[in-house]
Amino acid sequence: MEQASNPKPLYWVGGSKSDLLALPEEVVDVFGYALYLAQIGRKHEQAKPMKGFGSAGVLEIVEDLERNTYRAVYTVRFERAVFVLHVFQKKAKRGVATPKADLDLIRQRLKAAEEAARELES
Protein backbone atom coordinates (compact mmCIF):
# COMPACT_ATOMS: atom_id res chain seq x y z
CA MET A 1 0.00 0.00 0.00
CA GLU A 2 1.24 3.46 -0.89
CA GLN A 3 2.10 5.83 1.91
CA ALA A 4 -0.10 8.81 2.71
CA SER A 5 2.94 11.09 2.51
CA ASN A 6 3.27 10.31 -1.19
CA PRO A 7 -0.19 10.39 -2.79
CA LYS A 8 -0.56 9.71 -6.51
CA PRO A 9 -1.38 12.81 -8.55
CA LEU A 10 -5.02 13.35 -9.49
CA TYR A 11 -5.85 14.08 -13.12
CA TRP A 12 -9.22 15.48 -14.17
CA VAL A 13 -10.43 14.27 -17.58
CA GLY A 14 -12.71 16.56 -19.60
CA GLY A 15 -14.90 18.79 -17.46
CA SER A 16 -14.91 16.47 -14.46
CA LYS A 17 -13.37 19.00 -12.05
CA SER A 18 -15.77 21.83 -12.87
CA ASP A 19 -18.64 19.32 -12.76
CA LEU A 20 -17.56 18.28 -9.25
CA LEU A 21 -17.25 21.85 -8.02
CA ALA A 22 -20.79 22.62 -9.25
CA LEU A 23 -22.28 20.02 -6.88
CA PRO A 24 -23.54 20.67 -3.32
CA GLU A 25 -20.75 21.08 -0.77
CA GLU A 26 -21.68 17.91 1.15
CA VAL A 27 -21.33 15.84 -2.04
CA VAL A 28 -18.03 17.53 -2.94
CA ASP A 29 -16.70 16.62 0.53
CA VAL A 30 -17.61 12.92 0.14
CA PHE A 31 -16.21 12.66 -3.39
CA GLY A 32 -13.09 14.63 -2.46
CA TYR A 33 -12.35 12.30 0.45
CA ALA A 34 -12.95 9.22 -1.73
CA LEU A 35 -10.52 10.57 -4.34
CA TYR A 36 -7.93 11.30 -1.66
CA LEU A 37 -8.20 7.70 -0.41
CA ALA A 38 -7.69 6.49 -4.00
CA GLN A 39 -4.57 8.66 -4.24
CA ILE A 40 -3.05 6.93 -1.20
CA GLY A 41 -3.96 3.45 -2.41
CA ARG A 42 -7.06 2.92 -0.29
CA LYS A 43 -10.74 2.60 -1.16
CA HIS A 44 -13.70 4.56 0.21
CA GLU A 45 -16.38 2.38 1.82
CA GLN A 46 -18.92 3.61 -0.79
CA ALA A 47 -16.63 2.95 -3.79
CA LYS A 48 -17.62 0.01 -5.94
CA PRO A 49 -16.54 -1.31 -9.34
CA MET A 50 -18.42 0.32 -12.21
CA LYS A 51 -20.47 -2.27 -14.10
CA GLY A 52 -19.47 -2.86 -17.70
CA PHE A 53 -15.79 -1.97 -17.32
CA GLY A 54 -14.30 -5.37 -16.59
CA SER A 55 -11.96 -5.24 -13.65
CA ALA A 56 -12.27 -3.23 -10.48
CA GLY A 57 -9.99 -0.58 -12.01
CA VAL A 58 -12.92 1.75 -12.76
CA LEU A 59 -14.78 2.72 -9.60
CA GLU A 60 -17.82 4.79 -8.81
CA ILE A 61 -19.02 6.58 -5.72
CA VAL A 62 -22.75 7.21 -5.39
CA GLU A 63 -24.02 9.85 -2.97
CA ASP A 64 -27.67 10.68 -2.31
CA LEU A 65 -28.60 14.11 -0.99
CA GLU A 66 -32.06 15.66 -0.73
CA ARG A 67 -33.63 13.12 -3.12
CA ASN A 68 -30.93 13.65 -5.75
CA THR A 69 -28.27 11.10 -6.72
CA TYR A 70 -24.73 12.12 -7.62
CA ARG A 71 -21.97 9.94 -9.05
CA ALA A 72 -18.22 10.25 -9.43
CA VAL A 73 -16.37 7.78 -11.65
CA TYR A 74 -12.60 7.39 -11.51
CA THR A 75 -9.93 4.87 -12.38
CA VAL A 76 -7.06 3.47 -10.33
CA ARG A 77 -5.90 1.25 -13.21
CA PHE A 78 -2.68 3.16 -13.73
CA GLU A 79 0.39 2.99 -11.55
CA ARG A 80 1.34 6.66 -11.54
CA ALA A 81 -1.97 8.53 -11.20
CA VAL A 82 -5.68 8.51 -10.39
CA PHE A 83 -7.88 9.81 -13.21
CA VAL A 84 -11.32 11.31 -12.54
CA LEU A 85 -13.41 10.34 -15.55
CA HIS A 86 -16.87 11.78 -14.90
CA VAL A 87 -18.87 13.51 -12.18
CA PHE A 88 -22.60 13.97 -12.66
CA GLN A 89 -26.05 14.13 -11.16
CA LYS A 90 -28.16 11.17 -12.20
CA LYS A 91 -31.29 12.56 -13.83
CA ALA A 92 -33.26 9.40 -14.64
CA LYS A 93 -36.44 9.11 -12.65
CA ARG A 94 -36.52 5.32 -12.51
CA GLY A 95 -34.02 2.54 -12.38
CA VAL A 96 -30.46 2.56 -11.12
CA ALA A 97 -28.72 2.00 -14.46
CA THR A 98 -26.27 4.65 -15.62
CA PRO A 99 -27.62 6.38 -18.76
CA LYS A 100 -25.98 5.31 -22.04
CA ALA A 101 -24.74 8.84 -22.80
CA ASP A 102 -22.87 8.88 -19.48
CA LEU A 103 -21.42 5.40 -20.09
CA ASP A 104 -20.24 6.47 -23.55
CA LEU A 105 -18.59 9.57 -22.09
CA ILE A 106 -16.87 7.48 -19.40
CA ARG A 107 -15.53 5.07 -22.05
CA GLN A 108 -14.27 7.97 -24.16
CA ARG A 109 -12.57 9.61 -21.17
CA LEU A 110 -11.06 6.28 -20.09
CA LYS A 111 -9.36 6.07 -23.50
CA ALA A 112 -8.01 9.61 -23.00
CA ALA A 113 -6.77 8.60 -19.52
CA GLU A 114 -5.02 5.55 -21.00
CA GLU A 115 -3.16 7.79 -23.46
CA ALA A 116 -2.21 10.24 -20.71
CA ALA A 117 -1.02 7.39 -18.48
CA ARG A 118 1.22 6.08 -21.30
CA GLU A 119 2.79 9.55 -21.57
CA LEU A 120 3.40 9.57 -17.80
CA GLU A 121 5.18 6.22 -18.04
CA SER A 122 7.60 7.41 -20.73
Side-chain angles (χ1 to χ4, degrees):
M1 186 181 306
E2 204 163 340
Q3 300 208 344
S5 61
N6 191 19
K8 290 181 183 181
L10 197 59
Y11 289 92
W12 302 89
V13 184
S16 56
K17 186 172 187 176
S18 58
D19 292 341
L20 173 69
L21 295 176
L23 299 181
E25 189 176 335
E26 298 92 330
V27 177
V28 173
D29 288 348
V30 171
F31 290 172
Y33 181 60
L35 292 170
Y36 169 72
L37 289 176
Q39 287 179 277
I40 61 170
R42 294 176 55 204
K43 189 173 132 192
H44 191 278
E45 63 186 21
Q46 289 175 236
K48 61 183 189 224
M50 181 96 187
K51 288 183 175 75
F53 288 86
S55 74
V58 176
L59 300 165
E60 96 174 309
I61 302 274
V62 178
E63 181 67 12
D64 293 314
L65 178 70
E66 297 171 3
R67 297 179 50 175
N68 291 306
T69 299
Y70 303 91
R71 294 183 178 188
V73 180
Y74 61 97
T75 184
V76 293
R77 247 183 219 176
F78 310 110
E79 190 176 320
R80 296 187 183 252
V82 174
F83 290 86
V84 183
L85 303 173
H86 192 30
V87 179
F88 61 105
Q89 178 179 351
K90 186 170 177 295
K91 302 273 198 230
K93 298 297 179 219
R94 51 190 174 144
V96 295
T98 303
K100 183 181 183 316
D102 289 305
L103 289 173
D104 291 345
L105 183 61
I106 292 165
R107 283 189 184 92
Q108 175 188 342
R109 289 182 175 178
L110 182 59
K111 283 188 178 117
E114 286 168 356
E115 289 176 27
R118 270 196 294 277
E119 289 178 23
L120 288 174
E121 301 293 315
S122 57

